[in-house]
Amino acid sequence: MIALIDCNNFYVSCERVFNPALMKKPVIVLSNNDGCAIARSEEAKALGIKMGTPAFMIKDVIRKHGVHVFSSNYTLYDDMSRRVMQVINEFIPKTEVYSIDEIFGDLSELVYNDLHQLASDIREAVMRCTGIPVSVGIAATKTLSKMANRFAKKTKAGEGVYAAVTPEALSAMLASTGVGDVWGVGPRYAKLLQENGFHSAADLVKAPEEWIRKKMSVVGQRLLNELKGIPCIPFEETVPSKKNICTSRSFGKLITSKREVRQAVATFTSSCALKLRKEGSVARKIHVFIQTNPHRREDPQYFHSITLPLEVPTSSTRELLKYSMRALDMLFKPGYNYMKTGVMVLDLQPSKQVQMGLFDQVDRRRDEKLMHTLDEVNGSFGKDVVRFGTQDFNKKWKLKQEHLSKAFTTRVKEMPKIKKK
DNA sequence: TCTGGGGTCCTAGGACCC
DNA sequence: TCTGGGGTCCTAGGACCC
């Protein structure tokens, strides 16, 4: 059996832990640049605020109902996530962290005769230790445990816990889950399935395999098996190393000058390089893209990207900058209002296995030492104090974050204080 | 009339996830 | 005025090889 534990409205719940006055009130958390609502409290959902709605479109609802609004505070959420996972690990040693707010647990080696009780115990412990409410779903496969988790949230009587461990519990769940709510079925496949008469997960289980294979490829076939209780998605206890790493942002304001776009690309390149070094990987290719704002119909549009192979796989900021700047020179066209750029490093491999280039002119050893020192210095300050010339911090394209809460758990100065009355 | 067969690698695009 | 960011996997089709 597999458990899926998922934090309820995670970002909102994190904000509430340090600001209890927000309990029972409508609260939302916005995406980068304060763009869209990406987390909503139940009260905010009840007001009709949908996932991904742009903030400017719900201005009126926010004002009218006094919705509390926050910018995303990933420093806080990452740390809270780590704490939640730690508590869960004490119950289930074999786990797979699936996202910032979700974790799978392998129950097969656990001696526990009442899985429903286990689920409730976990829920209670996480709440007591971290203040974060979670839901727990238990079933035979990952796909079914996702479904059980969703079902646990829906059914009030279950109190945030659902164990689809008996045939009755399983079929009740399948019958009341819409096909579009199955993990792995997106809007495209949902439409296709419904048009062909498959409306619930129970319908889908009975679908002919060849048809699914033809219309949804092997992905669909796997999904079908998972629904039948045959595990097809492996349990990955150790995090597989990344294959790509990307850093991209929309600008706080539109940008026209090449100088400013260069600064952004340089900063994103250096961020990719740092992530690479943290992974212990080197990249073999670099990809740079640049784009205008597609929502501004009145503006001329320009989207372009370029991928450059690196002569020698590297994670050196200096090396990567050389290529990303060259890529930008090839991409940039004056006369457009740019909204976003990004840098992606691709074809990653462990830094141990680097093949030296035949005509390699760079002193790798020296570069490595330099990067190591750079990371240490910047790491100890908690921000980039030492930077490359091209980076520079120009406020013009900085993120918009007007409703940011504090780093309550990671910065001593911002720790909550308890006052005596 | 009619233009081999089999394999690999790479890329772009589509679908999905949180 | 204002619309997130970071990933994965799969397939089809082209280039190239013998």
Side-chain angles (χ1 to χ4, degrees):
Chain A
M1 286 289 160
I2 290 176
L4 176 70
I5 300 113
D6 173 308
C7 303
N8 302 345
N9 316 326
F10 183 53
Y11 299 168
V12 166
S13 298
C14 289
E15 299 294 344
R16 279 178 169 169
V17 170
F18 298 95
N19 191 347
L22 300 171
M23 295 292 176
K24 315 243 159 141
K25 302 262 172 60
V27 182
I28 61 172
V29 176
L30 302 177
S31 62
N32 274 335
N33 270 317
D34 294 344
C36 309
I38 52 167
R40 304 106 69 222
S41 71
E42 294 307 317
E43 299 76 12
K45 288 178 194 171
L47 291 174
I49 298 176
K50 298 261 185 310
M51 179 72 180
T53 317
F56 74 90
M57 282 167 124
I58 45 176
K59 250 184 359 205
D60 294 344
V61 190
I62 290 172
R63 197 172 330 113
K64 192 170 160 209
H65 295 92
V67 177
H68 295 79
V69 179
F70 291 87
S71 304
S72 359
N73 180 349
Y74 289 106
T75 313
L76 175 65
Y77 310 152
D78 280 337
D79 189 61
M80 290 304 286
S81 169
R82 191 182 53 75
R83 290 165 193 248
V84 169
M85 304 310 183
Q86 204 178 330
V87 176
I88 293 165
N89 257 310
E90 283 168 25
F91 288 86
I92 313 171
K94 204 171 161 189
T95 56
E96 173 188 335
V97 174
Y98 181 66
S99 74
I100 193 165
D101 68 337
E102 277 172 85
I103 185 168
F104 285 107
D106 183 348
L107 309 180
S108 58
E109 287 158 27
L110 240 57
V111 200
Y112 226 97
N113 33 26
D114 187 349
L115 290 175
H116 197 276
Q117 187 58 48
L118 169 69
S120 300
D121 290 350
I122 292 175
R123 227 176 99 78
E124 191 273 330
V126 174
M127 177 55 95
R128 180 162 36 82
C129 300
T130 68
I132 301 288
V134 298
S135 302
V136 186
I138 294 175
T141 63
K142 281 187 169 179
T143 306
L144 289 172
S145 70
K146 281 286 263 189
M147 196 181 289
N149 187 287
R150 189 182 162 277
F151 203 56
K153 286 200 173 77
K154 266 183 39 181
T155 49
K156 286 220 173 73
E159 291 165 344
V161 167
Y162 196 78
V165 291
T166 61
E168 298 77 42
L170 179 62
S171 48
M173 175 176 93
L174 286 170
S176 60
T177 302
V179 91
D181 295 319
V182 175
W183 188 45
V185 178
R188 272 298 194 347
Y189 287 150
K191 187 161 172 270
L192 173 81
L193 289 167
Q194 280 156 5
E195 280 168 0
N196 286 276
F198 306 107
H199 300 284
S200 69
D203 297 336
L204 184 54
V205 183
K206 286 179 265 166
E209 202 164 324
E210 311 90 82
W211 187 83
I212 292 289
R213 164 80 222 219
K214 214 176 104 201
K215 298 287 188 182
M216 298 170 67
S217 81
V218 295
V219 180
Q221 209 172 9
R222 269 202 297 258
L223 189 132
L224 197 57
N225 277 321
E226 282 262 321
L227 289 181
K228 290 175 180 166
I230 307 160
C232 288
I233 304 171
F235 196 90
E236 291 178 293
E237 224 181 325
T238 52
V239 187
S241 48
K242 290 208 171 78
K243 297 177 178 176
N244 308 310
I245 287 174
C246 174
T247 303
S248 78
R249 289 283 180 285
S250 297
F251 304 132
K253 282 183 187 139
L254 292 175
I255 292 205
T256 51
S257 90
K258 184 167 180 186
R259 197 177 63 88
E260 280 164 334
V261 176
R262 274 180 83 86
Q263 289 172 354
V265 171
T267 303
F268 301 160
T269 305
S270 121
S271 150
C272 276
L274 176 64
K275 291 180 192 170
L276 264 178
R277 297 194 287 269
K278 280 192 177 157
E279 277 271 313
S281 298
V282 287
R284 289 198 283 191
K285 284 183 197 159
I286 187 165
H287 179 86
V288 178
F289 66 89
I290 178 169
Q291 51 179 266
T292 49
N293 184 347
H295 300 288
R296 283 174 65 97
R297 293 279 176 79
E298 68 276 24
D299 279 8
Q301 297 292 318
Y302 181 65
F303 294 77
H304 205 29
S305 69
I306 196 164
T307 308
L308 295 179
L310 307 173
E311 260 156 70
V312 170
T314 185
S315 63
S316 151
T317 307
R318 207 166 58 82
E319 271 293 281
L320 290 167
L321 272 172
K322 212 169 70 190
Y323 288 92
S324 68
M325 292 298 105
R326 191 185 304 162
L328 182 65
D329 285 338
M330 296 161 85
L331 286 175
F332 188 87
K333 276 211 279 184
Y336 291 95
N337 289 324
Y338 289 103
M339 180 199 64
K340 183 177 185 176
T341 73
V343 176
M344 212 186 300
V345 284
L346 320 153
D347 273 16
L348 310 190
Q349 61 178 92
S351 50
K352 300 278 181 302
Q353 325 171 345
V354 181
Q355 176 87 52
M356 292 292 174
L358 197 51
F359 306 103
D360 193 10
Q361 299 291 317
V362 188
D363 185 348
R364 310 268 149 210
R365 267 282 153 70
R366 219 173 130 250
D367 228 28
E368 255 171 52
K369 268 193 185 159
L370 174 65
M371 289 307 134
H372 185 75
T373 313
L374 178 84
D375 292 346
E376 292 221 314
V377 172
N378 284 342
S380 66
F381 281 95
K383 60 179 176 179
D384 282 9
V385 179
V386 183
R387 297 190 289 260
F388 282 78
T390 17
Q391 284 177 246
D392 200 15
F393 266 52
N394 187 303
K395 298 289 180 256
K396 243 193 174 170
W397 51 268
K398 215 194 72 170
L399 276 185
K400 199 171 121 193
Q401 287 185 312
E402 290 175 353
H403 315 277
L404 191 61
S405 54
K406 293 182 178 172
F408 299 108
T409 60
T410 51
R411 198 167 292 166
V412 176
K413 265 195 199 157
E414 303 189 2
M415 253 165 54
K417 296 191 182 74
I418 298 169
K419 276 182 256 172
K420 248 184 168 174
K421 273 201 178 164

